[in-house]
Amino acid sequence: MGQVERNMKLKLFTIILAAMVIFAAALFIGPKFINPFNVNGIEKEILISIRLPRVIVSVLMGMALGASGAVLQGILRNPLADPYILGISSGAALTAVVGIIGGSAFLGIVTIPLLAFIGALITGIFVGAMGWKKGGFWPERLLLAGVGLGFLFSAMLMLIMSISSDEGLRRATLWIFGDLSIADWSVIPYGLVFIAVGFIISISRAKALNALILGDELSHSLGFSPRRERFILFISVGLMTAASVALGGMIGFIGLLIPHVGRFLIGSDSRVLIPVSALGGGMLLCIADLIGKSVLSPMELPAGIVTAIIGAPYFLYLLRRKDVLSI
Amino acid sequence: MRKSKDRRLKTRIIFFVLLLFTIHCSLFTASNAESPKRIISLAPSITEILFAAGLEDRIVGVTNFCDYPEQAKEKPKIGGIANPSLEAVVSLKPDIVVMTMDGNPREFQQRLDAMGIKTYVFRSHRISELPDGIRKIGIALDEKKMFEDLALRIEQSLDGFNTAKANTSGKMLFVIWPEPLIVAGPGTAINDAINLLGGINIAEDAKGRYPKYSIEEIIRRSPDVIFFGRGKGMDRISRKLLKRLSSVPAVKNKKVFYVSDSLYRLGPRVISGLKELEEHLSKKK
């Protein structure tokens, strides 16, 4: 037992260390290397007002997606669940793209994130209402409501995009693929608050999530009300996903596969899995964005594309090597 | 009573003098500020205007799509039009960034403003707005003379076309790309060019500036002339489209012409684009 625990601690320590190294690397390497011990005026400006907010946004988004993926796969008891399956992201994309193509900027730089957040929140509430029956959430109903609503919103999004030949279209496409290039300080506090609240809720209910995974009856006998816990956890997922989409658009892969990578590495105890998925998501998105803005610099590749390109092979490698596959 | 009135007057005068002084100071500094030495262009049309005005040496950054004139390709690149790299722009230490509102992200300007980097937005869309648009860039860059000269040159060339006969050249269509079928719609330099040459753009009432168009509608409106913009593989792809349009007058009478991309960007090259179309149109007769 002592050996296993020591092993686990070592793994956690390695993951945290790796995260630190990656965040620092993303900050200083970039398209052009900035020597942290010899920073001139213009480099300082680039570090503080361009790179740092961008690293923070990517880490926040990645953490939110990783953590909500881990929670969602638990409450829906489905290994294919990801934060986007609930339609939240399609709702956000719809309102954001309407804002981008309509060219609205009534609140300046926070307009689009705000629109996306409102869209995500409304969709989340709607999906929740659809999945609610007889005083509680039904995992299957939530999933189906999310998928159905997602299709509707995607179709509406495509409709808007196909009838608008405006230049806003290019911007909208970039946003949908996850665009971190405009990340700046103004939206970070809001994103941080919602993601932190969602994260704390999910961590504090991790034990209940462990029970939920075992089934409703077992969790009853363990002293957790499945209805109540599912409701609380659903809210935490909604907050984190909405804030993440609002910060920088849609990033695929992380929410679906990072929790599985986490399970391969440290097992499926939610108390560890949620923070590890969060860190893993943050690291992956951070690296992906670093690569995306550096390889073809100054051309920038959307982070969402790079995330899947570097994440998927690693996931497949783990899938081949490990034999455990459970939620 | 009198005294207090005097004092009030005095303070008013002092206030007024101070006000004049500050206004004068701000004017003075504005007019004496050095004209920007490091300019970044965020759009190919702007790059062409800056080059044509003779500011080549002061351009320190352009987009990856700025490919005209040839020397523009050698300037440092700052990324795409819809996704310019903020970091690349800032690290080039520009005195001013000239951008456009169709293509460049609005947030980009807000970010540059927040970092104290001056921006100027070029807002012209139509050929008729081009000379004044150029003059306004000249004011923003504090090089009125150079841009005035360029604007005058363009105005003089345009005058030659303005005398052209109205609606004498028939119905026209300018195909940007056949698959998907994108044509030049209203509010584009191409639409203006067609009008200046006495033609009517059959896609004039379309929604949007570069609409996806339907083949059916082309057949129904039967253009007398069809232009294709040149591009990689255009020969092959346009032939496929033309086969389906075989009943249209333009195709029957062999009034299908392939032209350069000069009219795609609202810059000094619209003049040569206009001349190119004119040559094709006069050739037929």
Side-chain angles (χ1 to χ4, degrees), chain A residues 162-197:
Chain A
S162 64
I163 57 172
S164 76
S165 52
D166 194 58
E167 282 81 357
L169 194 64
R170 255 179 303 173
R171 224 27 248 134
T173 318
L174 275 180
W175 191 89
I176 288 172
F177 281 119
D179 178 25
L180 303 175
S181 67
I182 310 282
D184 89 326
W185 289 108
S186 60
V187 288
I188 289 177
Y190 308 104
L192 183 66
V193 167
F194 288 113
I195 289 172
V197 169

Side-chain angles (χ1 to χ4, degrees), chain B residues 129-147:
Chain B
E129 297 164 351
L130 179 61
D132 276 335
I134 289 174
R135 286 192 182 95
K136 282 183 194 153
I137 298 183
I139 295 170
L141 298 183
D142 208 12
E143 283 297 351
K144 284 185 204 152
K145 178 83 178 64
M146 298 171 99
F147 285 85

